[in-house]
Amino acid sequence: TEHMYFHISGGGSTTAITQLKAPGDVYLIEVSGPANLNIEAGDNDFSIKFALCKDLFGYYNHVKTLSDEVKNIFSSTRRLVHKVSAGTVIGGVGHLQGNFDLGTYDYRIKNNFANPSRYGDLSATGFGRPRS
C-alpha cells in the first residue's frame, strides 16, 4: 500500500510538530532529504525507510524533523541497518504541511494482475525491487 497520507491538521494552520514513532521493532535503513540533518522544521522534507525483515518494508515521507537518535545514527551515512524498538521517537511531522505520507511493501505477495516489469528492476533487492 503506497501513499496513505495521514492528516494531522489543516495545511498552513499550525507550525506544531507531532512525534513520529517507529511502528514496531524495525530496522531503519535509509534517511533521505536535506544534507543538513539539523535544518529547521519549515525548511525540509525528509524520508525515513525501514524494514521489518527482508521482505517487509515501509517508509515515512514528509518528515519535518529527525530525532537526536536518528541524527546520530545517520550523521556519517544515509544508508545502513539500525534496529529500533516499537514506539521509539524517530522524528516529527506536521508543521505547516499538516500531513505526512506512509506506505508499506510486502514482497512475499505477488499480485498477478500487475506487470512487475513496469514498476522497477526485477533483479534488484530491497527498495529497488518493483513496488507492485
Side-chain angles (χ1 to χ4, degrees):
T1 304
E2 295 186 71
H3 302 294
M4 296 190 46
Y5 278 84
F6 187 86
H7 293 265
I8 301 163
S9 66
S13 65
T14 180
T15 58
I17 298 290
T18 300
Q19 288 184 336
L20 181 65
K21 298 180 180 184
D25 293 341
V26 297
Y27 296 91
L28 300 180
I29 57 175
E30 184 177 332
V31 169
S32 59
N36 179 359
L37 298 180
N38 295 303
I39 194 165
E40 292 296 319
D43 299 326
N44 65 27
D45 203 35
F46 291 105
S47 292
I48 299 175
K49 294 179 181 175
F50 55 88
L52 282 80
C53 66
K54 69 180 184 69
D55 290 319
L56 296 171
F57 292 84
Y59 67 84
Y60 292 131
N61 288 339
H62 308 302
V63 176
K64 298 304 177 189
T65 62
L66 300 175
S67 71
D68 288 340
E69 180 178 357
V70 170
K71 287 180 201 175
N72 290 333
I73 293 166
F74 289 96
S75 63
S76 61
T77 183
R78 293 297 183 102
R79 296 187 108 176
L80 54 79
V81 176
H82 182 84
K83 189 171 186 177
V84 296
S85 298
T88 300
V89 175
I90 57 175
V93 294
H95 201 262
L96 292 172
Q97 184 163 349
N99 63 42
F100 70 100
D101 180 15
L102 62 137
T104 58
Y105 305 107
D106 184 346
Y107 289 107
R108 300 169 302 177
I109 306 223
K110 297 211 184 270
N111 294 316
N112 293 327
F113 59 84
N115 180 351
S117 66
R118 292 184 179 178
Y119 295 94
D121 179 359
L122 295 175
S123 65
T125 60
F127 264 98
R129 290 187 273 185
R131 297 181 298 183
S132 294

